[in-house]
Amino acid sequence: MEPLKIHQGLVYPLNRSNIDTDQIIPKQFLKRIERSGFGQFLFYHWRFDDEGNLRPDFSLNDPKYKDASIIVAGENFGCGSSREHAPWAVQDFGFKIVIAPSFADIFKNNCVKNGILPIQASNEQVQYMIRKAESEEYQLTVDLENQVVYDNEGFKASFDIAPYPKVMLLNGWDEIGVTLTYADKIEQYELARK
């Protein structure tokens, strides 16, 4: 995983609540055993019609959001089943940050484990960001170290994150990476046991 310290990116507004993991990545695409290749199926039934053609009425298909790396969405993002494929699809599509008023706990934890920063913001802050991103090419800067999100027009919001996931994201570590930081101590322990 890549370290995430400060990220500036284009915002994709998804003004929907209760987006569940089956909407993020439908069950028929969960047959792969590797983590890559899921981005093409992100929001599949919203992005494509029954014949597999792009739906022009779904906002993510608008070319102006092609390079978006931040999703701003409604409350309870990632609810439903616990499939880890959902954050894999979000990340593989190119998103590094998801901002919402609330997240399903398992989805939120799976995001951190896969290098995505989930940020909880108030309903008012989220609606402001969504309105801006719907009306213009809207950029946000996310400063994880200082736990703040801001734009170039005076908007600024702080966010909370627990120390452990913050350290993981700042260093680009998954849980194996965290364990490897203790490799010397693990080796000393193993040697002492012999």
Side-chain angles (χ1 to χ4, degrees), residues 115-126:
I116 300 168
L117 173 59
I119 296 175
Q120 277 187 247
S122 72
N123 278 315
E124 295 78 20
Q125 292 166 336
V126 164

Side-chain angles (χ1 to χ4, degrees), residues 97-99 103 108 111-112 116-120 160-161 169:
I97 295 159
V98 181
I99 303 173
F103 294 89
K108 186 176 182 180
C111 279
V112 171
I116 300 168
L117 173 59
I119 296 175
Q120 277 187 247
D160 293 326
I161 184 169
L169 290 165

